[in-house]
Amino acid sequence: MTGTTIAYDLETINVAAQALLKAISEYRIVTLSGDLGAGKTTLVSHLCHMLHVQDAVSSPTFSLVNEYLMQPDGAKSTMPMYHIDWYRLRDADEAMDAGMEDYLIQAKNGEAWCIIEWPEKAAALLTMPHVAATISVTGPYSREIVLTPRP
Ligand SMILES: Nc1ncnc2c1ncn2[C@@H]1O[C@H](COP(=O)(O)OP(=O)(O)O)[C@@H](O)[C@H]1O
Ligand SMILES: [Mg+2]
């Protein structure tokens, strides 16, 4: 996968969610950047729907991590999806103190998938291969997402 750019709106958001699914199946860790209100949580919610997550998907801003049980198509059993939000963290030290490395190690070992909002706050923790995705607002309902592998 090389850099991919996808334009979408709320009617075609599944095209973007599908690209995110492809990225996360391959790399297991995806970061999701974009301003407040860009549509990060909305997109994660559509991705989780594709992964047959039963729980309600909401912003983990107040909890740092939401854990969902997902069952990707073809998987025999459920696996954790960690929906992580570093918005409230100051830096990588705080992220380590909050136990964030453990989620990344689980993903690295193939035991979970991680999607991380506000990765810029603790970028130093992201030493393993992942895909960096950035959402830009291009109109009231239109968005653009750029997916870049960081092998
Ligand atoms: N194409 C789009 N994709 C995602 N959200 C959109 C889109 N068009 C409009 N919206 C609206 O923008 C807001 C995005 O909020 P949210 O997903 O919580 O953003 P973030 O998590 O980036 O802060 C929602 O109110 C959503 O309905
Ligand atoms: Mg959000």
Side-chain angles (χ1 to χ4, degrees), residues 43-123:
L43 188 57
V44 171
S45 156
H46 282 263
L47 170 67
C48 284
H49 184 76
M50 289 179 170
L51 294 169
H52 311 287
V53 168
Q54 303 295 322
D55 324 75
V57 173
S58 63
S59 171
T61 295
F62 298 101
S63 51
L64 289 184
V65 181
N66 285 348
E67 178 176 348
Y68 312 124
L69 282 179
M70 60 168 178
Q71 189 157 17
D73 284 334
K76 287 186 203 76
S77 55
T78 55
M79 204 168 66
M81 155 79 89
Y82 297 116
H83 179 194
I84 299 169
D85 191 330
W86 288 346
Y87 184 69
R88 287 189 313 135
L89 292 177
R90 200 161 30 203
D91 54 27
D93 281 344
E94 264 192 25
M96 292 218 264
D97 288 346
M100 291 300 132
E101 267 180 324
D102 180 51
Y103 301 112
L104 296 170
I105 289 165
Q106 283 185 52
K108 198 177 163 185
N109 293 340
E111 294 155 7
W113 288 357
C114 290
I115 192 144
I116 305 168
E117 299 188 37
W118 297 97
E120 301 81 7
K121 291 298 192 84

Side-chain angles (χ1 to χ4, degrees), residues 1 3-4 10 12 25 32 34 41-42 49 54 67 69 72 75 100 106 111 132 136 139-140 145 147 149 151:
M1 180 209 244
T4 310
L10 286 174
T12 56
S25 346
L32 197 49
T41 301
T42 303
H49 184 76
Q54 303 295 322
E67 178 176 348
L69 282 179
M100 291 300 132
Q106 283 185 52
E111 294 155 7
S136 310
I145 186 168
L147 297 137

Side-chain angles (χ1 to χ4, degrees), residues 8-10 13 34-43 117 140-143:
Y8 65 98
D9 57 22
L10 286 174
I13 194 166
D35 295 338
L36 273 177
K40 300 180 293 297
T41 301
T42 303
L43 188 57
E117 299 188 37
Y141 300 102
S142 56
R143 305 287 189 265

